[in-house]
């Protein structure tokens, strides 16, 4: 049932995000730093420096936004994929690869309604620590060469403050900055992910009418998620750069997808499009592995089944 699908997707998203959010924060900071202004050399270096400068909970900056919006986002994505697969199937026959890809395309298109503002707010909060650390480093260098300088104090903002400011200055369009880049990432991701997961999961089914074991669903979600994440990482780098409202010292600004692509290619080289790729694979693999296990086990069906029994 639709309520069960929505609950399953929501539970899966909450569990997954809680487990992998620090890696996602490292991914955002690695993708946003530009040549000449590098603060972090790797994921582990980023996490260590974040803990030292911002404390353990600094790794979870922006998590509240994700935990609030990931439920509808994952619910829409998983339920939409099921919806399109159901309507694209002919008399219950096996879907062709093209129809599986079309179903994934529909799911990816639907989810950006929630994904774009969620990512927009999350990126501002995740990257704020990097920009503040960069300013402190430059202030320290200036004080060493030119004498005492005033310490840089980071003004912490919240998702609510950012939302109000964007709505006041740019209206609802402010929350949907980078919508085109989000579609450019999420639609191809879903086109790759859902057919790949479905076919990998089928390999573990002894009978077409019996669900695959949970570990098969988990591993299928991990492999499909990692492959899709790496495949669309260039689009994710572009999306992250476009959605960042604040820049570090001497960092480029971008007017659109083509401008961003051109500047990254010319100034940082092709390898820059794969910044944070392994972080993204590490985030997506368990996130979608957990999501598919929860979704396929059907926790919601179990909870919904308890309600009539409890009333009785």
């Amino acid at each position: 049932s639709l309520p069960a699908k929505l609950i399953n997707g929501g539970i899966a998203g909450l569990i997954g995000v809680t487990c992998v959010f620090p890696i996602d924060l490292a991914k955002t900071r690695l993708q946003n730093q530009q040549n000449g202004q590098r603060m972090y050399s790797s994921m582990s270096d980023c996490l260590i420096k974040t803990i030292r400068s911002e404390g353990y909970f600094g790794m979870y900056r922006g998590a509240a936004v994700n935990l609030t919006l990931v439920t509808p986002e994952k619910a829409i994505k998983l339920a939409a994929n099921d919806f399109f697969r159901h309507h694209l199937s002919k008399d219950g026959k096996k879907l062709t690869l093209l129809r599986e890809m079309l179903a994934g395309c529909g799911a990816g298109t639907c989810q950006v309604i929630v994904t774009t503002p969620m990512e927009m707010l999350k990126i501002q909060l995740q990257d704020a620590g990097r920009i503040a650390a960069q300013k402190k480093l430059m202030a320290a260098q200036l004080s060493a060469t030119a004498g005492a300088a005033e310490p840089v104090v980071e003004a912490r903002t919240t998702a609510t403050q950012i939302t109000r400011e964007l709505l006041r200055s740019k209206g609802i369009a402010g929350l949907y900055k980078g919508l085109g880049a989000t579609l450019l990432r999420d639609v191809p991701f879903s086109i790759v992910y859902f057919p790949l997961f479905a076919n990998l999961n089928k390999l573990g089914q002894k009978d077409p009418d019996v669900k695959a074991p949970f570990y098969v669903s988990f591993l299928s979600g991990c492999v499909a998620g990692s492959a899709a994440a790496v495949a669309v990482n260039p689009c994710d780098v572009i999306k992250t750069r476009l959605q960042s409202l604040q820049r570090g010292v001497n960092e480029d600004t971008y007017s659109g997808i083509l401008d961003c692509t051109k500047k990254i290619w010319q100034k940082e080289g092709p390898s820059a499009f794969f910044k944070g790729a392994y972080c993204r694979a590490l985030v997506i693999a368990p996130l979608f592995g957990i999501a598919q296990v929860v979704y396929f086990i059907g926790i919601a069906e179990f909870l919904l089944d308890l309600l009539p029994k409890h009333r009785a």
Side-chain angles (χ1 to χ4, degrees):
S1 65
L2 183 60
K5 289 176 182 177
L6 296 177
I7 294 171
N8 277 334
I11 294 171
L14 289 172
I15 295 171
V17 166
T18 303
C19 293
V20 301
F21 194 83
I23 303 174
D24 186 62
L25 179 135
K27 181 217 68 145
T28 297
R29 293 188 178 185
L30 288 170
Q31 286 182 339
N32 258 338
Q33 65 179 6
Q34 299 177 22
N35 289 349
Q37 302 295 333
R38 292 169 62 86
M39 289 292 302
Y40 316 108
S41 60
S42 65
M43 180 187 74
S44 57
D45 181 54
C46 178
L47 293 176
I48 290 168
K49 287 179 178 176
T50 298
I51 292 172
R52 285 176 180 170
S53 62
E54 303 169 54
Y56 174 79
F57 291 105
M59 295 190 299
Y60 282 89
R61 291 181 73 165
V65 174
N66 251 34
L67 291 172
T68 301
L69 296 179
V70 75
T71 298
E73 189 244 7
K74 284 290 176 287
I76 289 170
K77 185 171 192 161
L78 294 171
N81 181 64
D82 270 6
F83 174 82
F84 288 116
R85 287 178 71 90
H86 173 73
H87 285 279
L88 286 169
S89 63
K90 292 182 178 179
D91 303 322
K93 292 181 181 179
K94 181 181 177 181
L95 283 173
T96 63
L97 179 61
L98 177 60
R99 287 177 180 268
E100 287 183 331
M101 293 172 71
L102 286 172
C105 178
T109 304
C110 290
Q111 79 171 79
V112 297
I113 298 168
V114 178
T115 302
T116 306
M118 178 182 77
E119 293 267 318
M120 176 74 180
L121 296 172
K122 182 196 71 172
I123 285 170
Q124 313 317 313
L125 297 172
Q126 284 183 329
D127 204 39
R130 180 188 70 90
I131 293 171
Q134 189 185 89
K135 289 178 178 178
K136 286 178 184 178
L137 181 62
M138 293 200 68
Q141 291 172 347
L142 285 172
S143 64
T145 56
E150 291 186 11
V152 177
V153 180
E154 180 188 355
R156 292 223 173 191
T157 56
T158 65
T160 304
Q161 290 172 327
I162 296 170
T163 302
R164 286 175 180 169
E165 178 59 27
L166 285 171
L167 290 174
R168 184 189 64 78
S169 60
K170 299 181 180 179
I172 193 68
L175 290 173
Y176 281 87
K177 182 181 180 183
L179 175 62
T182 306
L183 280 167
L184 195 63
R185 181 197 68 173
D186 288 349
V187 172
F189 178 92
S190 294
I191 289 173
V192 173
Y193 172 78
F194 283 111
L196 183 56
F197 168 79
N199 286 282
L200 288 173
N201 198 55
K202 282 176 187 175
L203 296 176
Q205 289 180 278
K206 294 180 180 179
D207 189 299
D209 298 323
V210 179
K211 288 181 182 178
F214 79 93
Y215 64 86
V216 173
S217 293
F218 177 76
L219 291 174
S220 299
C222 288
V223 172
S226 296
V230 174
V232 302
N233 196 76
C235 301
D236 190 56
V237 172
I238 294 168
K239 183 198 72 69
T240 300
R241 296 277 181 100
L242 288 175
Q243 287 189 318
S244 297
L245 298 176
Q246 293 187 342
R247 303 286 175 192
V249 181
N250 299 325
E251 288 185 343
D252 287 327
T253 57
Y254 311 102
S255 60
I257 294 173
L258 292 177
D259 180 56
C260 182
T261 304
K262 183 180 177 182
K263 286 181 178 176
I264 292 174
W265 183 277
Q266 290 177 341
K267 297 184 178 182
E268 301 174 60
S271 62
F273 290 105
F274 287 92
K275 283 184 176 180
Y278 66 96
C279 291
R280 183 162 162 75
L282 288 174
V283 169
I284 296 296
L287 182 62
F288 277 83
I290 293 167
Q292 291 295 358
V293 168
V294 173
Y295 197 64
F296 272 76
I297 287 176
I299 290 177
E301 286 89 337
F302 173 74
L303 295 174
L304 291 172
D305 285 344
L306 288 179
L307 292 177
K309 294 176 184 177
H310 179 71
R311 287 173 189 153

